[in-house]
Structure formats: structure tokens, C-alpha cells
Amino acid sequence: MKDRYEELKKKLAEIHDVHMARSILSWDQHTKMPPKAGEVRAEQLGTLDRIAHELFIDDDIGALLEELRPYEESHDYDSDEASLLRVTRREYAKATRVPSDLRAELTRAGAIALAAWVEARQKSDFAIFLPYLRRNVELQREYVACFPKAENDYDVLLDDFDEGMKTTEVRAVFDELKTELIPLIAEITERADTVDNACLTGHFPIDKQRAFALEVLEQLGYDHESWRLDPTIHPFAMSAATTDIRLTTRYEEGDMNSLMAAIHEFGHGFYEAGIDPRLERTPLSQVTSMSLHESQSRMWENLVGRSLPFWKHFYPKLQAAYPGQFDDVELDEFYRAINKVEPSLIRIEADEATYNLHIILRFELEQEILDGSLDLADLPEAWNARMTEYMGVDVPDDAHGVLQDVHWSGGAIGYFPTYSLGNVISVQLWDQVREAIPDLDQQFERGEFGELSSWLRENLHRNGRKFTSKETLERLVGGGIDSGPYLRYLKDKLGGIYGIRAETGAAV
Amino acid sequence: MKDRYEELKKKLAEIHDVHMARSILSWDQHTKMPPKAGEVRAEQLGTLDRIAHELFIDDDIGALLEELRPYEESHDYDSDEASLLRVTRREYAKATRVPSDLRAELTRAGAIALAAWVEARQKSDFAIFLPYLRRNVELQREYVACFPKAENDYDVLLDDFDEGMKTTEVRAVFDELKTELIPLIAEITERADTVDNACLTGHFPIDKQRAFALEVLEQLGYDHESWRLDPTIHPFAMSAATTDIRLTTRYEEGDMNSLMAAIHEFGHGFYEAGIDPRLERTPLSQVTSMSLHESQSRMWENLVGRSLPFWKHFYPKLQAAYPGQFDDVELDEFYRAINKVEPSLIRIEADEATYNLHIILRFELEQEILDGSLDLADLPEAWNARMTEYMGVDVPDDAHGVLQDVHWSGGAIGYFPTYSLGNVISVQLWDQVREAIPDLDQQFERGEFGELSSWLRENLHRNGRKFTSKETLERLVGGGIDSGPYLRYLKDKLGGIYGIRAETGAAV
């Protein structure tokens, strides 16, 4: 039985290698590839996906999984063996529903659409992207049709990013966020003058931004022997092994937003770097879900990187890095500036509160796109209308509207909600962290992040994909997803900054 | 029949995609990958090679190749169809002899040895590399054993780099080179003072080296939409499509050798970029042989990049790029400096004449390594002894001796000879170029390289792998490989620089 298990593991290791090779090609495509190579790269990515898919849905793997049922049962639920078999069986049941041609075409079309999106975004012209988006959406519908009819078609797509998550559950959480956040943001907007963030614009040379980002990341746990940091249009993190972690960020001379993006991506990278090396080259050497993934990136970005204790340590270094820029800016003023709430156009530059409205907008539009109630040609108009409705801002052009995100170009529908679910989960976990490490703030003030890192590795990262989001939450917080802690945290923090009483939203 | 041909083409396209993905992973490994990822990368590369191999040796491909024999015969020898079938059939006959496990292990062991080589070279300690080299050589012997007994075991390895080339043929060419070059170099060494190359050392900031290299390459045909240039330890060129050409070079602050390495790699890249796009994603979308590949890199590096007309155009730009460095150096003096012949330790920095002795040394050692007459533990000693014998130089340490080249770490034995074969072929081709373009020198002086490029594309590059080296030479020069033109060229050029009469080698 052990031999059969090893045989399965060997097959899965090769499939994992192909997935990781695909990740490198995709990373390369977004960071290094000469632009004209896009078309051939699309074929290469499609081929790798097809091969990984065909190797995986092979009958031999199905037979091994069946044969190994007693082996799974003879091992603890938490063991590597039982977990690998459980997770693989689930994936196998899904994958065998999808024809190889469709699998390859999803990838190929996405890679081709990426090039069109880059051009459309540069020219701020949605029409360039439209036919490619149509193709992506068609393919997503074909994909959905491979699965048994769900309560919502969207459930099928969500499941790929957060297993077992349902549209109705997401909607419930998002409705709670909307109910609380829209009035809170409106109230803050009235008091916009309370916080001045002029210090965040100026001249920030790109080499200095990179050097400072690396200085911060190294203190958080970035290691040059196993990590990279590269510039890109749309920041992302990717790993091809626990020893091969690649972060990206976007630099603009006029601001220092690259830092927050880098810390966000660090959160992703640190999760993947923390997976138990014993799980390397197995299907468990991945994160559990995108929601948990985002809980980590948003935690490092916001709960760590926008906190006062963090900046008590780093602010003098920041001041030194940009002579002149922050000379007359007190720490508290800077802290308020980086936490300013301001309805704006670009999701990845949004503050903690409005960020969720950006997500909710996408979540709602994605459902309408998928069920066909919104024609894709009308997408920019719908986008712009909802931006005005939720945040009171006017979208000047497609580049600052519907074309800003890379996700739909790659065909990823159902991904966006995980960002806000991640926000919500990040604070549920944070409450546990705070309980476990009472002097967390003092540690941050001393520039120490080791105890936080250890807690995250021990309780979350090392498990890789052994447990689902739901299982993980149940284990760590003893319950399901809950917007309560997150809303309390936001109202507390922003209430403090804007002088708003937490309970009623009334001014104090 | 056409359908069956398309079916075969589709299968081959996917296999080609896997090879290209492997190339990207390998490029990444040498230029971008964090060092600790080496071990997992070895597995990934091994897996891709195994998959490509298994997909290729599939019985279906064999059956299609048989079935398509009449289809091949019904097409011209030069047609895409007949060429694809002919080349694939040849490759298939070779590949089906090699077990998949060996194929994967060759790659995996090579990738692991690469990391050991990097460390060994840094520490200049051959002992670190020795066990990995032993493993590579063992595997090469296993590989050789997959094939029918050849006149020389080494023939089997040569064949992978230059199809049909035999050890005895190479030896004949190399013996001619040795006979002529050893006394020529000795004579030049006596007149070492004739040429002063002090102007080539100094302070050359790396960003300026890169900018100047790009300025030159762009004029030769480098295009930012399809090409890249990255730093690495050991320069190489790699392509993953005719629109995805990646050059590398090595920068040292103290010299400007990076430029010649970049021009050399440009020659490789320009060959691969020039393959007919119609052949993209087919087995014909490769160069014919490493000898022809090197004929192109050596042509651009030496026949173009070390010529007086080339520098008539570029020298003022070089002077402007490094203010002060060349103020008191006349063009003619600079030209003599970059062509100085000087026995030295490092192959890739060697002049045109001694370069071949570096190669001949490796060619001879490789045969002794393969047949076991030289124990690997004694390799450094043998290396050093032969360096003294051929060039009169003492090797101070392994980093400047046996550890200098990357090739053996990747398991590539049989590759080195192609460099000198490339030298020889480059001048055979050059004579044709000169005949076709009588005012070539005048064009270079004006910074025009278009007509040369067109000639090369039309007569060589566009064909990709349709014809073997031998066929190509027969078509272009009406004969086989011949050291005569190359030796005449060298004696003429160096005779001029050093004041030596070409015919007799006596001083004039």
C-alpha cells in the first residue's frame, strides 16, 4: 500500500512540476517577456496546462485514489498522507469533468487576452479588450457547464478560489459590509479635511523606492537566497517552490504606493514560503484558498503595514530615505495620511474601507456578466454608474475604470470576492494573534516581527493546502467567516482617526 | 494524408512548447532564480524533459511518421513538409533509443551539478564539483551505450550538437589548426610589445557598458519588442520563439569585455530570430547545428565586431561613452588592441587565434574523460599541464582553469568543438558574403548592417533546421568543412597587425 502511495506521489510530483513551470512562464510573461512573444507564450501556457490536466485525469490516478482509500482511513485526518489523498480526490473529481481541450483553451485565451488588455489599458480603450473578454466569459460559461447545476452558476467559479464557498454566503458578508461601510465612508468624506495626505505625493526616485521596500521586506522575512522582487504593471506574487518566492510591485515616481503593494505581496509570498518543506512537490504545497491567501497579504499590508507601532519603527528610516519629503511631517500625521479614507478610482491604491466597495462592485458585476443580464458592451457604463453610486466618484476613462485590473484578462472570474473575504478573515485571525502575543505592538515598535511570523507559520502556513478555509477557520477561531471583528476594527481605527464614535457613527 | 500530417504537426507543436518552456526555466535558472531554488528547479527541468521525451517517443508518432512516408516523398526535399518529416524521423530514431528515466536524470543531474559548479567556481575548488561531474560523465556513458557502437564513443555525443559530424573529422580540422596556430602564436608572443592593449582596462561603469552594448546591438538588429539582454555569470543566448530572444552577458567594472560577449550572443540570437515564422512551434524552428550556430556568433563577434570598418563607425561613440578612457587612443591603436593575441587563461575572453587552442584542449580532454583514460580527479592537473604545453601559461587556480566553463556542469560533453568548427565555417561563409556584397566594408563604416543581415537570413537563418550542417555547407560553399579560409584569414589579419609575412610566418 505504501508503494502504491509513493507511486501516486511520484505522479503528482511531476504534475506539480508542470504547474510550477507554468507559474514561472506566467511570472516571466508579466515581468520579463518581450512583448511580441505574447502569442507564442499563450500556446506554451496552454500546452502546459493541457499536459498537467491530461496527466492528472489519467485513469491510473483515479484507480490509485480508489485503491488507497483504506490507506487514507488508516492515517490521521491531519497526516500528510490522509490530507494528500483527501485533497487529491476532491481535485480529481473536479478535474475529470473538464475536457483537456477546454482546459488548454481557457489558458490560451487568457494569455492572448492579457496582451489585448495591456494594449487596451495603455490606450484606455475598452473596445480593444471587448472581443477577448467575450471569449473569456464564453469559456467560463462552458467551464461552469461541466459541473452539476449549482444554486448559482457563480458558485462553480468561486469554488476554484475558495473551496465550498457559496455565492449566498459571500453576498451575506458583503451586504453587512455595504450596510456599515457606505454610511461610514460618506461620513468620513464629509470630514475629509481631518486628514491631510499631501506628504504622500512628491518625488520618490524609483531606485530608492526599491531599496526602501527591500529594507522593510528583509526585516519582515524576505530573504535574497529564496526571494525576488521585480517591477510589473499589476503587482502579484508567485512561487515555484518554498525556496522560490517572487514578489512584484509597481513603481511611480510621484508616490510611494509601491511599498504597500510590496508588503501586500510579501504577505502572499510569506504564506507560500512557510509551507512545510516536507510537502514540496505535492498538491499540498499550495495555499488553502485565495481568501486565506488574501487574509495574509491584507494582514501584512494593513494590520501590520498601516499600523502605528510598525511606523514607530520604520518612520525615521523612511524620513532618511527621502530627504526633505517628510521633514515637517510628524509620525502621527504620517500615520493618519497612510490611513486616509478617500473614495477613489483604483482598487489597488484604495484605503482599507473603500477597498471593499471596489470588490463588492466587481462581485456584483461578475454575477451579471456570468448570467448574461449585463451585456459586456455595456460593462464600462455599468462600472462607472456603480462607482458613482457607491463612492460618489466619476470615472474619467476606461483605464481608471473597467480596465484597471488584470484578472478578467486571464479569465479569472470569482477571484475578486476573496480580497474582501480576506480582509474579513484577516481580523478574525488577528484577534487570535493579539491574544497569543500580548505585547505585539511593542515588538513592532522594536522592529521585531519574528513572533508574529512564527505564530502564522505554526498555525496556518505550514499546513499548506491540508485543510479548507472553513476547516482552517473552525480550527483557529472556532467558527465561520464573520464580518463582526473586521467592522469593529475598521470603525475603531477610523473612528479614532476621524473623531467618529464607534457605536453610532455620530461625531464625538 | 494532409490531416494526418496536421495531426503530427499538432503533437510536435506541443512537444516543442514543452522544450521552449524548459528553455525559459533554464534561462531563468541562469539569470533570475533565487539560489536556494536550484534543487527544486532541477526536478522541474527533469520533469519537463521527461514529458517532452515521453510525448515524442510515443508509438503514435512513430506510426504517423511511417504512414506519412509517401506524403514526404510527394513533396520537394526543401519543402516545409518533407523537411519536417525527414528531421523528425531522424530525431525519433535517436530518441526512442533513450529511456525516459535516463532522459530525465541527465537533466536533473545537470541542473543539480550547476549549483555545485557555481559554488565550486566561486570558491575555486574543483573538489566540490568533482562528484557531480562524475555523475554527469557516468550518465553520458549510459547515454552513449543506448546507441550502436560507433567508431568513437565521442561520435554519439558530437552528433547531438552537429549531426553526422565524426570525431575523426574534427580531429583532422583541429590538427590543421594546431599545426598552424601553435607556431603562429609563439611568433606573435615574441612580438607581444607590438600591440598595446592597456586602453582596454580601466573603469567602465556597468550601466554604461549595458547602454553602449544595447546601442550597438540595436544597430545590428536587436529589437526591444522581441529581445532581452540580462547579466549572468556565463554568457549564453536562448530563445523560446522567434519573437522571444534572450541574450546575456557578463559585466566587470574593470574591462569592457561584456560588449564582445554581447555581440557574440547577438549572433546566436539573430540566427534564431531569423528562422521563418512559418516554422514556429515545429521541430524545424531551431538552428541546424551548434557549429553553424557558433559560426554566426563568432562571425558577428570577430569578423564584424573586431573589424576595422565596424570600429570606424562605432569608435567615436565608444569614446563618447567612456570620457577620458580613449582620448589619446587612435582608432588604429584601438583596433590593434582588441585584436591583440595573447595566450591567456579564460576561453571566453581569448583572442581569435588562441581561442582555438582553448577548444582543442577541451576536445582532447573530453575524449579522455569519456573513454576513462583520464580519471576525473586528475582533470585539473591535466588541464593545467596542457595549458602550459599549448600556450605557455600557468593556471593559478581552478576557477581560472578547469572550472571556468558551465558546459560540463550541465552534462554537455561534445559541445566545445563546435566553437572552433564555427570559427572555421564562419570564414567559409564570410567569403561568400564578401563576394555577394562587394562594398561590405563601406557599409560597416556607415553603420549599415542590413545587407549582411539579409544575406544571412535569406541563405541560412530562415531555413531553421531543414538542412544539416553538411547540407548547408554544400549548398553555400559547394563543399565540406575546410580550415583553409579561416587560417588564411587569421594569418592575413594578424600578419598585418604584427608585421608577419603570411606565407612563411617570417617577419617582414
Side-chain angles (χ1 to χ4, degrees):
Chain A
M1 208 63 134
K2 172 97 174 98
D3 285 354
R4 302 295 274 157
Y5 177 74
E6 291 302 325
E7 190 185 333
L8 177 67
K9 254 186 91 175
K10 187 163 176 244
K11 283 176 189 286
L12 296 175
E14 294 204 348
I15 295 164
H16 190 78
D17 287 340
V18 179
H19 285 302
M20 294 302 101
R22 186 227 193 276
S23 291
I24 294 287
L25 260 66
S26 173
W27 170 85
D28 179 82
Q29 182 185 31
H30 285 87
T31 58
K32 306 293 170 195
M33 190 189 76
K36 282 191 183 158
E39 219 171 301
V40 177
R41 180 56 52 88
E43 301 291 347
Q44 293 160 349
L45 290 167
T47 293
L48 291 186
D49 272 0
R50 174 200 293 274
I51 287 172
H53 187 68
E54 286 179 353
L55 289 173
F56 186 51
I57 62 173
D58 192 273
D59 290 343
D60 284 358
I61 288 186
L64 280 166
L65 286 169
E66 278 315 305
E67 201 181 323
L68 285 163
R69 274 191 196 275
Y71 191 73
E72 179 181 346
E73 281 153 22
S74 73
H75 282 82
D76 282 350
Y77 191 88
D78 293 13
S79 67
D80 294 353
E81 292 83 355
S83 300
L84 181 132
L85 289 164
R86 181 174 69 245
V87 168
T88 305
R89 186 170 290 118
R90 230 156 47 199
E91 278 299 293
Y92 185 78
K94 284 180 74 171
T96 46
R97 292 183 165 276
V98 183
S100 298
D101 282 347
L102 176 57
R103 183 74 274 163
E105 184 56 15
L106 282 160
T107 305
R108 212 187 62 87
I112 290 172
L114 175 67
W117 169 75
V118 169
E119 191 196 341
R121 190 169 183 268
Q122 261 161 9
K123 299 184 179 162
S124 194
D125 182 358
F126 180 73
I128 295 173
F129 182 49
L130 179 58
Y132 299 92
L133 182 58
R134 276 203 200 287
R135 178 71 183 139
N136 280 350
V137 172
E138 263 171 34
L139 289 168
Q140 291 296 317
R141 290 199 190 112
E142 278 182 45
Y143 179 75
V144 168
C146 299
F147 293 88
K149 189 77 191 151
E151 187 188 353
N152 288 283
D153 283 352
Y154 195 74
D155 288 350
V156 174
L157 302 182
L158 266 182
D159 194 79
D160 282 350
F161 302 105
D162 194 351
E163 184 172 333
M165 185 58 75
K166 303 291 175 211
T167 311
T168 50
E169 291 177 272
V170 178
R171 196 177 292 133
V173 172
F174 284 7
D175 282 348
E176 286 163 16
L177 295 184
K178 243 162 103 171
T179 307
E180 300 270 359
L181 291 180
I182 290 181
L184 177 67
I185 290 164
E187 193 170 8
I188 287 172
T189 307
E190 280 172 27
R191 296 157 176 255
D193 295 346
T194 316
V195 175
D196 178 7
N197 64 357
C199 65
L200 301 181
T201 49
H203 181 65
F204 301 86
I206 285 170
D207 57 340
K208 289 206 177 168
Q209 288 193 52
R210 177 175 155 83
F212 188 71
L214 283 174
E215 184 183 340
V216 171
L217 296 184
E218 280 163 30
Q219 210 154 337
L220 303 184
Y222 179 105
D223 147 24
H224 286 274
E225 296 286 301
S226 299
W227 298 57
R228 288 186 56 86
L229 174 66
D230 293 271
T232 192
I233 300 177
H234 196 290
F236 67 97
M238 193 287 305
S239 75
T242 58
T243 48
D244 191 354
I245 308 290
R246 296 168 185 225
L247 314 182
T248 63
T249 191
R250 180 170 63 175
Y251 301 100
E252 298 279 354
E253 291 261 335
D255 61 50
M256 42 165 268
N257 294 340
S258 67
L259 177 65
M260 283 316 187
I263 297 175
H264 176 99
E265 302 308 339
F266 167 82
H268 286 303
F270 194 66
Y271 190 172
E272 301 193 342
I275 296 171
D276 193 328
R278 243 183 19 231
L279 304 177
E280 193 84 270
R281 298 185 71 230
T282 76
L284 301 180
S285 192
Q286 295 175 52
V287 304
T288 284
S289 71
M290 287 315 299
S291 303
L292 273 174
H293 220 324
E294 293 298 334
S295 84
Q296 297 305 289
S297 54
R298 305 290 290 169
M299 179 184 285
W300 284 97
E301 178 187 356
N302 292 324
L303 299 169
V304 179
R306 289 187 211 273
S307 74
L308 193 54
F310 176 90
W311 284 106
K312 277 197 180 147
H313 177 75
F314 280 113
Y315 193 54
K317 298 172 200 294
L318 182 78
Q319 288 177 307
Y322 302 108
Q325 180 71 24
F326 298 108
D327 287 1
D328 303 326
V329 183
E330 294 295 322
L331 169 62
D332 186 62
E333 196 181 337
F334 174 77
Y335 165 71
R336 293 157 65 87
I338 59 168
N339 283 291
K340 184 174 175 72
V341 172
E342 195 167 33
S344 65
L345 295 164
I346 303 295
R347 175 184 62 86
I348 62 163
E349 293 168 5
D351 60 82
E352 280 185 87
T354 61
Y355 188 93
N356 301 291
L357 298 181
H358 286 275
I359 295 304
I360 292 168
L361 172 153
R362 286 157 177 77
F363 169 68
E364 292 170 354
L365 290 176
E366 283 189 339
Q367 291 170 75
E368 295 171 28
I369 287 170
L370 191 69
D371 70 20
S373 59
L374 174 64
D375 185 85
L376 285 168
D378 302 328
L379 184 57
E381 204 181 322
W383 179 288
N384 299 350
R386 214 160 304 205
M387 281 297 287
T388 307
E389 183 188 342
Y390 290 172
M391 284 193 272
V393 297
D394 291 328
V395 179
D397 55 41
D398 294 342
H400 293 84
V402 68
L403 287 177
Q404 67 183 271
D405 291 309
V406 71
H407 304 61
W408 292 340
S409 80
I413 296 182
Y415 184 119
F416 282 121
T418 66
Y419 289 107
S420 278
L421 298 176
N423 279 339
V424 168
I425 294 169
S426 73
V427 181
Q428 289 186 270
L429 297 181
W430 197 247
D431 285 352
Q432 303 296 319
V433 170
R434 284 228 170 265
E435 204 166 298
I437 313 172
D439 64 334
L440 195 67
D441 287 349
Q442 290 72 34
Q443 293 184 15
F444 286 4
E445 287 173 19
R446 295 193 299 269
E448 294 166 14
F449 303 93
E451 212 175 325
L452 169 63
S453 300
S454 300
W455 190 95
L456 293 170
R457 293 221 148 154
E458 179 57 27
N459 290 283
L460 179 61
H461 302 175
R462 70 182 175 88
N463 294 327
R465 205 186 167 187
K466 280 187 172 182
F467 313 116
T468 65
S469 275
K470 289 188 178 183
E471 286 172 332
T472 303
L473 270 184
E474 187 60 48
R475 280 161 187 251
L476 288 180
V477 308
I481 193 163
D482 175 8
S483 63
Y486 179 61
L487 285 168
R488 273 196 297 281
Y489 152 80
L490 267 191
K491 286 191 276 188
D492 185 44
K493 180 174 180 180
L494 300 176
I497 290 171
Y498 283 93
I500 300 169
R501 199 180 316 174
E503 295 77 17
T504 63
V508 287
Chain B
M1 206 64 133
K2 173 100 175 96
D3 286 354
R4 303 293 275 159
Y5 177 74
E6 291 302 325
E7 191 186 332
L8 177 67
K9 252 185 94 175
K10 187 163 175 244
K11 283 176 190 283
L12 296 176
E14 295 204 348
I15 294 165
H16 191 78
D17 288 340
V18 179
H19 285 302
M20 294 301 102
R22 186 231 192 274
S23 292
I24 294 288
L25 261 66
S26 173
W27 170 84
D28 179 83
Q29 181 186 29
H30 286 88
T31 58
K32 306 294 172 195
M33 188 189 77
K36 281 190 184 159
E39 218 171 304
V40 177
R41 178 58 52 88
E43 301 291 347
Q44 293 160 350
L45 289 166
T47 293
L48 291 186
D49 272 0
R50 173 200 295 276
I51 287 171
H53 187 69
E54 285 179 354
L55 289 173
F56 185 52
I57 62 172
D58 193 274
D59 291 343
D60 284 359
I61 289 189
L64 281 165
L65 285 170
E66 278 315 305
E67 201 180 323
L68 285 163
R69 274 191 195 275
Y71 190 73
E72 179 182 344
E73 281 153 22
S74 72
H75 282 81
D76 282 349
Y77 191 88
D78 292 13
S79 67
D80 294 354
E81 292 82 355
S83 300
L84 183 131
L85 289 164
R86 182 174 67 243
V87 168
T88 305
R89 185 169 293 117
R90 229 155 46 195
E91 277 299 295
Y92 186 78
K94 285 179 72 170
T96 46
R97 293 184 165 274
V98 183
S100 299
D101 281 346
L102 176 58
R103 183 75 273 160
E105 183 56 16
L106 281 161
T107 305
R108 211 187 63 88
I112 289 173
L114 175 67
W117 170 75
V118 169
E119 192 196 339
R121 190 169 182 269
Q122 261 161 10
K123 299 185 179 161
S124 193
D125 183 358
F126 181 72
I128 294 172
F129 182 48
L130 179 58
Y132 299 91
L133 182 58
R134 275 201 201 287
R135 178 72 184 138
N136 280 351
V137 172
E138 264 170 36
L139 289 167
Q140 290 296 317
R141 291 201 189 112
E142 279 182 45
Y143 179 76
V144 168
C146 298
F147 293 87
K149 189 77 190 150
E151 187 188 352
N152 288 284
D153 283 353
Y154 195 74
D155 287 350
V156 174
L157 303 182
L158 266 181
D159 195 81
D160 282 351
F161 302 105
D162 193 351
E163 185 173 333
M165 185 59 76
K166 304 292 175 211
T167 310
T168 50
E169 291 177 272
V170 178
R171 197 176 294 134
V173 172
F174 284 7
D175 282 348
E176 287 162 16
L177 295 184
K178 245 163 99 172
T179 306
E180 300 269 359
L181 292 180
I182 291 182
L184 177 67
I185 290 165
E187 193 172 7
I188 288 173
T189 307
E190 278 172 29
R191 297 157 176 256
D193 295 347
T194 317
V195 175
D196 177 6
N197 64 356
C199 65
L200 301 181
T201 49
H203 181 66
F204 300 87
I206 285 171
D207 56 339
K208 289 209 175 162
Q209 288 194 50
R210 179 177 154 82
F212 188 72
L214 283 172
E215 185 183 340
V216 171
L217 295 185
E218 279 163 30
Q219 210 153 336
L220 304 184
Y222 178 106
D223 148 23
H224 286 276
E225 297 286 301
S226 300
W227 298 58
R228 289 186 57 84
L229 173 66
D230 292 271
T232 192
I233 301 178
H234 196 291
F236 66 98
M238 195 285 306
S239 76
T242 58
T243 49
D244 191 353
I245 308 290
R246 295 168 186 226
L247 314 182
T248 63
T249 191
R250 180 170 64 174
Y251 301 100
E252 299 280 353
E253 292 260 334
D255 60 53
M256 43 165 270
N257 294 340
S258 67
L259 177 65
M260 282 316 185
I263 296 175
H264 176 98
E265 302 309 337
F266 167 81
H268 286 303
F270 194 66
Y271 190 173
E272 301 194 344
I275 297 172
D276 193 328
R278 243 183 21 232
L279 305 178
E280 193 85 87
R281 296 184 73 229
T282 77
L284 301 180
S285 191
Q286 296 174 51
V287 303
T288 283
S289 71
M290 288 314 301
S291 304
L292 273 173
H293 219 322
E294 293 299 335
S295 85
Q296 296 305 287
S297 54
R298 304 290 292 169
M299 180 185 285
W300 284 98
E301 178 187 355
N302 292 324
L303 299 170
V304 179
R306 289 188 211 272
S307 74
L308 193 56
F310 177 90
W311 284 106
K312 277 197 181 149
H313 177 74
F314 280 113
Y315 192 55
K317 297 173 200 292
L318 182 78
Q319 289 178 306
Y322 302 108
Q325 180 73 25
F326 299 107
D327 287 2
D328 303 325
V329 182
E330 296 295 323
L331 169 62
D332 186 62
E333 195 182 337
F334 175 77
Y335 165 71
R336 293 158 64 87
I338 59 169
N339 283 291
K340 185 175 174 71
V341 172
E342 194 165 35
S344 65
L345 294 165
I346 303 294
R347 176 183 62 85
I348 61 165
E349 294 170 4
D351 59 84
E352 281 186 88
T354 61
Y355 189 93
N356 301 291
L357 299 182
H358 286 275
I359 295 305
I360 292 169
L361 173 154
R362 286 156 176 78
F363 168 67
E364 293 170 351
L365 290 177
E366 283 189 338
Q367 292 171 73
E368 296 170 26
I369 287 170
L370 192 69
D371 70 20
S373 60
L374 174 63
D375 186 83
L376 286 168
D378 302 328
L379 184 57
E381 205 180 323
W383 180 288
N384 299 351
R386 213 159 306 204
M387 282 296 286
T388 307
E389 183 188 341
Y390 289 171
M391 283 193 275
V393 297
D394 290 327
V395 179
D397 55 40
D398 294 342
H400 292 84
V402 68
L403 288 176
Q404 67 184 270
D405 290 310
V406 72
H407 305 61
W408 292 341
S409 81
I413 296 183
Y415 185 118
F416 281 121
T418 66
Y419 290 107
S420 279
L421 298 177
N423 279 339
V424 168
I425 295 169
S426 72
V427 181
Q428 290 186 272
L429 298 180
W430 197 246
D431 286 350
Q432 303 296 318
V433 170
R434 283 229 170 263
E435 203 165 301
I437 313 172
D439 65 332
L440 195 67
D441 287 349
Q442 290 73 32
Q443 293 184 15
F444 287 2
E445 286 173 19
R446 295 193 300 270
E448 295 166 15
F449 304 92
E451 211 174 324
L452 169 63
S453 301
S454 301
W455 191 94
L456 293 171
R457 293 222 148 153
E458 180 57 27
N459 290 284
L460 178 62
H461 302 173
R462 69 181 176 88
N463 294 328
R465 205 187 167 186
K466 280 186 172 181
F467 312 116
T468 64
S469 275
K470 290 188 179 183
E471 287 172 331
T472 303
L473 269 185
E474 187 61 47
R475 280 159 188 252
L476 289 179
V477 307
I481 191 163
D482 174 8
S483 63
Y486 178 60
L487 284 168
R488 273 196 296 281
Y489 153 79
L490 266 192
K491 286 191 276 187
D492 184 45
K493 179 174 178 181
L494 299 176
I497 290 172
Y498 283 93
I500 300 171
R501 199 181 314 176
E503 295 77 15
T504 64
V508 287

